[in-house]
Amino acid sequence: MKSIEINVPRNLIQKFYRHPEPYGDGDYVVDLINGMYTDVFYREEGDFITITNDKELISYLKKNQMKPREYFFRNGVFSLRHVADCDNEHIDEWKHISPISVQIDLPENHNLPSQFMFCFYWIEVGKAMIEGNRMTFDVYEKELIHNIDIGVVLDLILEHLKKTDSH
């Protein structure tokens, strides 16, 4: 059978791993919620794709296509979205992990929700909590993101808030 390119919806992915080969057959290797695994490539439009000839995998993915998740902020590979029921498993797993935690002061009239998920390449890597004008940004999936990227997203959020506050 000839290989095809097919979407791998984010909600079907249970766990991400950095690809063992730097220029291998994908950006990440993922465990799917049905126990299968595959290589995936990041797509700017949302979700991921895989290139495969595995009939069972193709059948599973075709039967389970869903709309991409909705994000209230996106800048390049960084995105933020509201906490949803699908995040409960991540949040429970993260309770046993010591995060990289950064606190920053926000402008007084910010429009951010009191808590939200932080995604890097559509992968949930952390969560933010806001009390008053103080945001605590906790990153749990440390092997999937570099410290410099955490700094960049914080700068982007503050820049975005300044722009929206001036309008």
Side-chain angles (χ1 to χ4, degrees):
M1 177 182 187
K2 186 176 174 184
S3 290
I4 66 164
E5 185 176 291
I6 187 167
N7 286 350
V8 181
R10 173 63 188 93
N11 63 302
L12 297 181
I13 300 172
Q14 184 170 17
K15 182 79 175 159
F16 287 85
Y17 306 95
R18 285 209 178 273
H19 201 285
E21 300 167 19
Y23 301 102
D25 294 330
D27 295 325
Y28 300 96
V29 174
V30 297
D31 290 335
L32 301 177
I33 59 174
N34 71 346
M36 298 174 98
Y37 64 92
T38 191
D39 298 73
V40 295
F41 296 89
Y42 162 79
R43 287 186 337 133
E44 281 188 31
E45 300 82 25
D47 291 329
F48 298 86
I49 60 159
T50 189
I51 301 170
T52 185
N53 63 359
D54 182 320
K55 290 178 184 175
E56 188 179 349
L57 177 60
I58 292 168
S59 174
Y60 174 70
L61 292 174
K62 281 184 175 180
K63 290 178 187 170
N64 290 287
Q65 289 296 308
M66 300 185 92
K67 291 192 295 187
R69 294 179 177 171
E70 291 188 29
Y71 300 85
F72 65 83
F73 174 83
R74 176 153 183 248
N75 190 316
V77 298
F78 306 105
S79 55
L80 308 176
R81 65 174 179 74
H82 295 279
V83 175
D85 289 342
C86 62
D87 298 312
N88 292 338
E89 190 174 326
H90 287 302
I91 293 168
D92 285 344
E93 288 175 14
W94 290 344
K95 289 178 183 175
H96 307 289
I97 298 172
S98 177
I100 296 171
S101 191
V102 179
Q103 290 191 335
I104 61 170
D105 291 321
L106 300 172
E108 271 190 46
N109 297 324
H110 70 80
N111 60 354
L112 293 172
S114 61
Q115 62 177 335
F116 55 89
M117 300 299 288
F118 165 48
C119 304
F120 182 61
Y121 289 100
W122 306 126
I123 305 167
E124 294 79 5
V125 294
K127 184 175 132 185
M129 302 274 294
I130 299 175
E131 290 185 24
N133 293 334
R134 188 88 168 147
M135 178 172 72
T136 303
F137 201 76
D138 292 329
V139 176
Y140 296 92
E141 302 291 342
K142 299 174 276 210
E143 69 281 358
L144 299 176
I145 187 168
H146 301 288
N147 286 346
I148 193 165
D149 293 316
I150 296 167
V152 169
V153 77
L154 292 173
D155 290 343
L156 289 171
I157 291 169
L158 289 173
E159 183 181 310
H160 173 73
L161 291 174
K162 287 178 187 170
K163 283 182 185 174
T164 56
D165 189 37
S166 65
H167 287 112

